[in-house]
Amino acid sequence: MKKTFIFFLMAFTFGLTACNNDDDYSPYINPNDLVRFGKVAKVADYLYYYEADNYSPDPPSQLLMDNNGKMDVFGCSAVRNGNFYGRNLDFNINEICEFIIKTNPSATRKHASIGVANTCFYDLTKESVEAGLSDELLKYIPWMTLDGINDAGLVCNVNVVNAADLKEKHGHTNSGKPQIMVMQLIRALLDNCGSVEEAKTFVKNHDVRPIPTTWDGHIMIADPNKTVIVEFTGEKGEEVKFVEQKQMIMTNFYNHLYNGDGNFPQHACGIERYVILEKNYATSNTMEGMWDLLKMVRYTLSYDTNVEPFWCSEYYDTAKIPDFDKYPQSYWMKDKVLAEEKPKKEVKAYEEYAKTGKYDPKDGLWFTTHNSTFDIQNRILCVTIRELYDKRYSFRLDE
């Protein structure tokens, strides 16, 4: 039986209440009973709550750009179906904490919001969080928000995408305009935009910079009436594309290069996840259904050799198969991928992890570090962390 943990936060201009998955959204646990570490409160192991107000309306230039010389890439899946929106954030198995970020309107922010920030860019462990975070670092955490919903019902998230499928990776989208990195758009859109059209205008009025790796990011944005995927092409005159498709699904390839006929872009990653989401899309028209759909594409399934089809596209850039770039899709075959050393090593390492719960960071194993599902109409966010699907933490952003 699923356990749902419920919180009720009072005395905010825009109150945040956490709720169960029934229609009454009754309060269950008073957040004042939560253990606090300075300005953050512990919800569960690896998950903290932080009401952030004192942060810059502009993204800190040093955040993500240098990040102590480290820039990690993550996987992801995202879906919007009617009133419901969901995403998985996939990342390497680690001890890093995540934050439920609640914000209120201010002189520099139009909207209240709630979302999930992943602190992988600064390696914030439980020990470091519970020892107390500096005010300076707390100002950065809102800008690590990777998915969320605001009081207007605008929801958005960022996924990575392999820029190898572009003729040229995008650099500037609008030179001379205020600069913002792709991943920082989530916080900016939640704070400033009340609809998809406002979000599109915001993107057009900024110079969106790429993630500083061989990968880049694309973003899904939804409001109660519309959904769009925003992609950055590097093509002069068409640096930004706004993609709308019948089924709004986003994994780790460029949606504007996929026409729905099963012929995916050459270096596409997340193909198997996309196909599973596409096939079962109709089941995601409830909060529970969206949650169950995203469980079908939790990242540890990439190590399960009994899954059919095997998730070959997750290994395409590590399996050095002859002529892969010339005939990539003909080589997305289980036997060929599993003949390579890195996939074999990861599958074996995961089998040990599944038995013991122990892992070696050098093995490079991944999991779904968090899953977020959103009820757009009721401004509800439910979060599962670290593939612990017997626990779900649910919050409501009251108007």
Side-chain angles (χ1 to χ4, degrees):
M1 184 175 181
K2 297 184 181 70
K3 300 176 183 177
T4 303
F5 291 75
I6 305 142
F7 303 90
F8 182 57
L9 285 86
M10 306 172 64
F12 297 143
T13 303
F14 284 78
L16 171 66
T17 62
C19 48
N20 60 28
N21 293 309
D22 301 322
D23 290 338
D24 61 358
Y25 304 125
S26 302
Y28 183 56
I29 296 176
N30 190 318
N32 293 326
D33 295 334
L34 296 177
V35 176
R36 300 192 70 85
F37 299 92
K39 296 181 180 180
V40 304
K42 185 174 183 177
V43 179
D45 281 345
Y46 305 102
L47 186 65
Y48 295 82
Y49 167 80
Y50 172 43
E51 184 175 4
D53 281 318
N54 186 23
Y55 64 93
S56 170
D58 300 312
S61 59
Q62 64 270 45
L63 182 61
L64 305 182
M65 288 293 192
D66 57 26
N67 138 57
N68 299 321
K70 170 174 160 286
M71 180 67 213
D72 288 304
V73 171
F74 46 86
C76 296
S77 303
V79 179
R80 194 271 172 89
N81 184 2
N83 184 49
F84 302 97
Y85 185 116
R87 74 96 100 252
N88 286 348
L89 177 71
D90 307 320
F91 198 69
N92 60 282
I93 296 174
N94 56 60
E95 301 299 317
I96 295 167
C97 294
E98 304 195 84
F99 285 77
I100 303 296
I101 301 292
K102 166 68 172 62
T103 69
N104 296 311
S106 72
T108 58
R109 289 190 295 279
K110 294 180 181 178
H111 298 282
S113 69
I114 182 172
V116 186
N118 187 291
T119 61
C120 58
F121 311 107
Y122 276 82
D123 288 342
L124 292 185
T125 63
K126 290 189 293 182
E127 291 74 20
S128 59
V129 173
E130 295 179 10
L133 299 179
S134 69
D135 287 343
E136 191 67 19
L137 189 51
L138 285 171
K139 293 178 183 179
Y140 288 169
I141 290 177
W143 286 101
M144 302 179 199
T145 302
L146 299 182
D147 53 81
I149 185 169
N150 71 16
D151 52 24
L154 183 90
V155 192
C156 54
N157 80 279
V158 58
N159 290 6
V160 297
V161 62
N162 193 336
D165 278 316
L166 298 180
K167 294 178 182 178
E168 182 178 351
K169 183 179 178 179
H170 101 268
H172 294 269
T173 63
N174 200 347
S175 295
K177 295 290 186 179
Q179 290 191 7
I180 189 167
M181 187 188 284
V182 172
M183 294 167 66
Q184 297 169 333
L185 272 172
I186 302 305
R187 169 51 50 203
L189 296 175
L190 292 173
D191 286 352
N192 295 288
C193 302
S195 67
V196 166
E197 291 306 314
E198 286 186 17
K200 289 167 66 174
T201 298
F202 186 94
V203 171
K204 292 174 183 177
N205 288 338
H206 283 75
D207 182 11
V208 182
R209 302 305 310 282
I211 297 173
T213 69
T214 56
W215 292 68
D216 202 0
H218 57 171
I219 292 173
M220 186 182 288
I221 309 171
D223 64 25
N225 303 306
K226 189 172 184 178
T227 314
V228 68
I229 294 171
V230 186
E231 299 186 328
F232 309 93
T233 70
E235 299 177 21
K236 190 172 179 60
E238 288 190 279
E239 290 87 355
V240 182
K241 287 187 181 291
F242 300 102
V243 184
E244 297 181 47
Q245 296 171 327
K246 184 177 180 180
Q247 294 182 332
M248 296 306 296
I249 301 169
M250 184 174 75
T251 58
N252 303 119
F253 58 83
Y254 286 97
N255 285 63
H256 77 271
L257 297 178
Y258 177 59
N259 60 14
D261 63 357
N263 187 23
F264 292 90
Q266 186 178 41
H267 296 89
C269 183
I271 290 174
E272 292 83 8
R273 286 182 278 123
Y274 189 97
V275 171
I276 291 168
L277 296 170
E278 189 176 43
K279 181 179 178 181
N280 297 282
Y281 181 84
T283 68
S284 63
N285 62 351
T286 66
M287 194 69 145
E288 194 78 13
M290 182 64 75
W291 190 59
D292 287 337
L293 176 62
L294 287 163
K295 278 194 288 185
M296 294 181 190
V297 292
R298 63 191 183 276
Y299 201 84
T300 54
L301 288 175
S302 64
Y303 306 116
D304 186 348
T305 58
N306 294 316
V307 170
E308 295 294 342
F310 181 66
W311 291 16
C312 296
S313 71
E314 303 299 336
Y315 294 95
Y316 76 91
D317 58 349
T318 58
K320 301 186 184 307
I321 298 170
D323 296 327
F324 183 84
D325 285 341
K326 187 175 182 181
Y327 306 107
Q329 295 184 39
S330 66
Y331 288 105
W332 285 330
M333 297 166 59
K334 179 177 178 178
D335 59 340
K336 291 183 180 293
V337 171
L338 289 177
E340 300 297 320
E341 288 304 313
K342 190 170 187 293
K344 283 195 295 186
K345 177 184 175 183
E346 289 187 9
V347 168
K348 183 177 180 180
Y350 179 73
E351 290 173 351
E352 184 65 21
Y353 170 72
K355 290 178 184 176
T356 67
K358 298 179 180 179
Y359 65 96
D360 185 338
K362 292 182 290 186
D363 288 334
L365 296 177
W366 281 44
F367 64 174
T368 297
T369 181
H370 82 252
N371 155 254
S372 297
T373 50
F374 299 89
D375 175 335
I376 298 173
Q377 180 180 358
N378 293 302
R379 317 301 195 251
I380 294 170
L381 162 64
C382 296
V383 178
T384 297
I385 61 170
R386 306 176 72 83
E387 297 192 357
L388 298 175
Y389 288 102
D390 62 335
K391 297 179 182 178
R392 184 165 27 167
Y393 306 92
S394 303
F395 305 85
R396 178 170 181 162
L397 184 66
D398 283 340
E399 297 184 9

